[in-house]
Amino acid sequence: MRPDPGTPVRCETTKWDGRPHWVYPGTYLGSDDHGDWVGFPVGTTFTRPGAEFTGPNDQVTLVPAGGDGDRPGFLATFHAPGGFLPSAGGRVPVAVYVDITTPAVWDGPVLRAVDLDLDVVRGTSGRVWVDDEDEFADHRVRWGYPAAVAEAAVRTCGTVEAAVRRHEPPFDGETHLPWLDRVAAH
């Protein structure tokens, strides 16, 4: 069951082997035809074992439409100007970052998903790429992703990458803006 708009929520992701991955607080903003929207204001702290990251900008994440358990397997984050990915080489400016996951499930005010490594990224220059394919290949074998899970992740990654490249809603650069305005207004 999804929370009411304005409710503080907690996002929790794990890796397939059960290890904790990213955990971060947000606010449930509401839903539209694309799914549920969660907001993260500038200064939100994202933590995982051995790492902590403070969001440099407002962000919103789309939890795609569908009932818990039958949602598409991704979480799409849209960044206000100033967003970046921390990397070994510095900061990579980012506009859209889509984590390929198991279908996300609401457990009251907690959103849970398993991160399946693959990410679709659109930088601020417009360049689109798939990240962490090497990590996916390694973890797929090391942690024994079931064939159906791995195939769904690859299929979802391809579908999302194509939609991001073609600027299809919600990746059109406009659909997320009213939700981002709600984060800035709080």
Side-chain angles (χ1 to χ4, degrees):
M1 172 176 248
R2 69 175 67 134
D4 292 327
T7 300
V9 297
R10 177 180 166 98
C11 301
E12 298 179 356
T13 59
T14 62
K15 287 296 191 174
W16 188 259
D17 69 346
R19 288 181 305 129
H21 194 45
W22 289 106
V23 175
Y24 44 96
T27 301
Y28 183 79
L29 300 174
S31 64
D32 63 13
D33 291 343
H34 300 288
D36 297 326
W37 293 87
V38 180
F40 310 98
V42 63
T44 297
T45 300
F46 300 81
T47 59
R48 73 176 185 191
E52 185 173 290
F53 176 74
T54 300
N57 62 336
D58 293 337
Q59 305 169 34
V60 291
T61 292
L62 171 64
V63 181
D68 284 347
D70 69 349
R71 297 176 187 273
F74 69 85
L75 297 171
T77 300
F78 301 85
H79 292 258
F84 67 87
L85 301 176
S87 72
R91 295 178 174 196
V92 177
V94 65
V96 179
Y97 191 89
V98 185
D99 286 295
I100 305 303
T101 66
T102 58
V105 176
W106 285 107
D107 181 9
V110 179
L111 180 68
R112 292 191 172 94
V114 176
D115 181 277
L116 295 174
D117 314 310
L118 296 168
D119 306 299
V120 177
V121 185
R122 180 166 58 218
T124 56
S125 69
R127 181 172 83 93
V128 176
W129 68 95
V130 175
D131 203 14
D132 294 333
E133 291 173 293
D134 55 340
E135 190 176 311
F136 174 76
D138 174 50
H139 292 170
R140 180 181 188 172
V141 172
R142 184 185 329 173
W143 294 332
Y145 292 176
V149 169
E151 290 164 7
V154 170
R155 186 175 51 256
T156 299
C157 185
T159 300
V160 169
E161 180 187 11
V164 171
R165 287 187 184 281
R166 291 191 301 255
H167 295 267
E168 294 175 359
F171 306 107
D172 56 1
E174 295 180 14
T175 299
H176 72 281
L177 294 177
W179 300 104
L180 205 50
D181 287 345
R182 290 184 190 195
V183 175
H186 287 276

